[in-house]
């Protein structure tokens, strides 16, 4: 038997709504938030919320989203 397969944990996760990535101010807003709380975002996973962005379906959009989000330390 593999033991416990489900474990509880608490961790920080940043949720980004996909439509926010199209806002020209998003980069600056995110940089300011990270600057205010750098340890809060350090190594935190990111969830890309596609709700409200049905047109967000092309591979290039996901690549651009990753590029934008990885600019932050």
């Amino acid at each position: 038997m593999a033991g416990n397969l489900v474990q509880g944990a608490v961790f920080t996760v940043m949720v980004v709504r996909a439509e926010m990535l199209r806002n020209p101010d998003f980069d600056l807003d995110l940089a300011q938030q990270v600057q205010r709380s750098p340890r809060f975002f350090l190594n935190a996973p990111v969830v890309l919320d596609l709700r409200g962005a049905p047109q967000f379906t092309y591979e290039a959009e996901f690549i651009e989203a990753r590029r934008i989000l990885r600019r932050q330390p």
Side-chain angles (χ1 to χ4, degrees):
M1 180 171 267
N4 290 338
L5 296 178
V6 177
Q7 296 180 1
V10 176
F11 57 91
T12 301
V13 61
M14 180 170 52
V15 177
V16 175
R17 291 189 316 268
E19 71 270 11
M20 292 172 64
L21 294 167
R22 293 189 173 123
N23 181 335
D25 296 327
F26 178 78
D27 274 341
L28 178 59
D29 293 343
L30 180 59
Q32 289 172 344
Q33 182 63 45
V34 170
Q35 187 176 22
R36 282 191 296 267
S37 308
R39 298 191 83 210
F40 182 79
F41 296 103
L42 184 65
N43 296 318
V46 175
V47 172
L48 186 58
D49 182 356
L50 299 176
R51 190 178 32 184
Q55 70 282 9
F56 203 93
T57 57
Y58 297 102
E59 181 180 1
E61 291 177 292
F62 287 95
I63 291 169
E64 178 65 7
R66 182 178 60 191
R67 187 184 66 75
I68 290 169
L69 294 170
R70 285 192 170 172
R71 277 196 284 238
Q72 300 306 317

